[in-house]
Amino acid sequence: MENNSFDINVELNIETLQSGELTHTKIAEPGKFTQIGNSVYLKFNESLDNDDTASILVKITDEGEIHLKRVAKSKNLASLLYFTHNKHNSGHLETEYGVLPLGTFTKDSKIEILNNPLSGKINIDYDLIYDNNVIGNYKFRLIFGA
């Protein structure tokens, strides 16, 4: 099994539309790109308030499915979401009060990875669903490079 790991810089822009309110989140951090077999992993941190961080792991399977895991230990929050182009998926949010089932509907997803030099883009447009209701529309734009 091949295991290649490289230092990268990550820029993540997230546009969120919830309850008619549009918000933007931008993260620019160093990270790691790792390939194990046919799967690709991007790992980086998100800076939070009070010098806290959340760890973010993006996995791309060889079938093109995207898994997004975000863990903010100090806030007792962890989420795991799955994205498959034009499909519904089940995920969850773990809080100190219990686990909330969350769903996603991936309206569009695009993955581009170039090897020389190592760089790429991951774009996901999705609806976040709780209890059969769309609670937000998201545009996830991740760009990385060595």
Side-chain angles (χ1 to χ4, degrees):
M1 186 182 295
E2 208 175 314
N3 180 346
N4 296 313
S5 189
F6 302 94
D7 290 330
I8 56 170
N9 289 310
V10 175
E11 184 177 302
L12 174 59
N13 290 290
I14 301 171
E15 185 179 287
T16 307
L17 180 61
Q18 281 183 311
S19 304
E21 188 176 326
L22 187 63
T23 59
H24 295 272
T25 303
K26 184 174 182 171
I27 300 168
E29 298 282 346
K32 281 268 187 228
F33 172 99
T34 305
Q35 184 166 357
I36 301 173
N38 291 327
S39 294
V40 168
Y41 300 83
L42 301 171
K43 186 171 183 166
F44 56 97
N45 289 326
E46 174 187 0
S47 297
L48 304 173
D49 297 335
N50 303 324
D51 294 326
D52 276 341
T53 60
S55 64
I56 298 176
L57 177 68
V58 179
K59 176 184 178 183
I60 304 166
T61 68
D62 53 350
E63 294 93 27
E65 187 174 85
I66 302 164
H67 304 179
L68 177 60
K69 183 176 185 176
R70 182 178 180 273
V71 178
K73 285 185 182 163
S74 64
K75 300 201 181 316
N76 291 323
L77 286 175
S79 61
L80 184 56
L81 300 175
Y82 300 94
F83 306 97
T84 308
H85 185 74
N86 226 9
K87 293 206 163 127
H88 285 273
N89 288 92
S90 296
H92 64 270
L93 173 67
E94 295 173 34
T95 73
E96 60 188 296
Y97 306 108
V99 178
L100 295 173
L102 292 175
T104 56
F105 176 70
T106 309
K107 296 185 264 192
D108 193 22
S109 65
K110 291 187 181 105
I111 302 165
E112 275 180 43
I113 298 176
L114 303 172
N115 286 323
N116 205 0
L118 177 63
S119 63
K121 291 184 213 172
I122 301 167
N123 293 346
I124 312 168
D125 293 351
Y126 68 98
D127 291 335
L128 189 62
I129 302 163
Y130 175 70
D131 198 24
N132 292 321
N133 293 304
V134 173
I135 58 172
N137 310 106
Y138 292 78
K139 291 184 186 301
F140 178 100
R141 304 288 183 264
L142 188 146
I143 300 169
F144 68 90

